[in-house]
Amino acid sequence: MRITVIEHEADAGLGYLGRWLELPCDVVRPYRGEPVPEAAADGFVVLGGEAAAWEDERWPWLPATRELLRRSVADATPTLAVCLGAQLLTLACGGTVERGGNGLEAGVSELTALPQAASDPLFAGIAARPGPVPAVQYHGDAMTRLPDGAVPLMTGAQYPNQAYRLGPAAWAVQFHPEATPDIFASWTAATGLESAGRLDEQVRAAAPALESAWRPLAEAFTATIRAAARQRAGDLRTSDRG
């Protein structure tokens, strides 16, 4: 079993997810000229980046990424779309992404699980935790209308649409469960935020709580990929006998 990963830029890699997913990851780097594949492997992860989800002229691989996301939802390929990835998934499946009306959301925010998270395969553990959950943020665009049929899972004060599930096995998260303190610091350094030092320290201080919160989600995603692969193998055996 393998996971196809779309990485949009060198400073926005797998981070924590590279340690937590427990399956080999085939990282596709279209910014280096590598083509977006026509199909994902057993699982699919789309990471973040500075692009806006609609900036196809500047980032010419975005249409192919949106199409692969749309196909993965239709095929029930276990999919985790992070920040820009979540926005691409939203556009691909009929939702709306716009410049955020509440400005840049950066640093550590507190998110709240919504009622339907309690029965979600990835977010049930998050929902069982008492109180709000810390998450790393770095985005100026927002998912303002979710695709039809989306199940909202988490919300926040600055931007309400923080996580949702679409179909049985595709998840979009506006925040960055993968972002280590060093990855986050590379983003603030690149953009020259006046508050960079404070935000960097905020993320570094929250690192143990962030790992505690989001490692179980990554492990649950791995379990979902394995279960889907077993199901497909069983279906193939049944088909062969038929």
Side-chain angles (χ1 to χ4, degrees):
M1 287 173 283
R2 308 188 70 84
I3 301 172
T4 299
V5 179
I6 303 295
E7 179 186 279
H8 297 286
E9 58 188 65
D11 289 339
L14 277 166
Y16 285 132
L17 292 178
R19 308 179 208 167
W20 296 343
L21 287 174
E22 300 177 352
L23 288 172
C25 291
D26 301 321
V27 181
V28 180
R29 298 176 173 89
Y31 59 93
R32 294 184 181 175
E34 299 173 3
V36 174
E38 293 187 2
D42 304 284
F44 187 30
V45 173
V46 182
L47 296 169
E50 65 175 301
W54 58 85
E55 289 186 314
D56 297 355
E57 291 187 3
R58 293 186 61 196
W59 314 87
W61 61 86
L62 295 185
T65 304
R66 290 195 301 269
E67 176 58 23
L68 183 51
L69 282 162
R70 186 202 63 75
R71 192 178 304 121
S72 296
V73 172
D75 294 343
T77 300
T79 297
L80 179 62
V82 175
C83 198
L84 171 59
Q87 295 164 3
L88 289 166
L89 176 62
T90 300
L91 285 184
C93 296
T96 303
V97 179
E98 304 172 286
R99 296 296 186 197
N102 297 324
L104 177 69
E105 184 172 31
V108 178
S109 71
E110 292 189 337
L111 303 183
T112 301
L114 295 171
Q116 288 171 296
S119 58
D120 183 81
L122 262 60
F123 283 85
I126 298 295
R129 296 168 61 101
V133 182
V136 172
Q137 303 277 2
Y138 209 106
H139 69 103
D141 299 336
M143 304 180 292
T144 55
R145 183 176 65 84
L146 300 185
D148 292 345
V151 179
L153 298 171
M154 298 205 79
T155 191
Q158 189 166 343
Y159 289 102
N161 292 322
Q162 289 289 337
Y164 69 86
R165 186 183 71 250
L166 188 60
W171 289 268
V173 296
Q174 180 59 79
F175 52 94
H176 286 277
E178 87 291 359
T180 66
D182 287 344
I183 286 176
F184 182 83
S186 75
W187 299 341
T188 60
T191 52
L193 286 181
E194 291 184 5
S195 56
R198 176 179 60 82
L199 293 175
D200 292 351
E201 180 54 36
Q202 183 185 76
V203 171
R204 198 165 297 280
L210 293 166
E211 294 188 48
S212 174
W214 301 115
R215 180 169 188 156
L217 180 140
E219 292 171 345
F221 183 61
T222 304
T224 298
I225 294 170
R226 288 175 169 150
R230 288 194 297 269
Q231 179 64 49
R232 285 195 300 274
D235 290 346
L236 285 173
R237 287 193 294 270
T238 301
S239 176
D240 290 343
R241 288 195 298 270

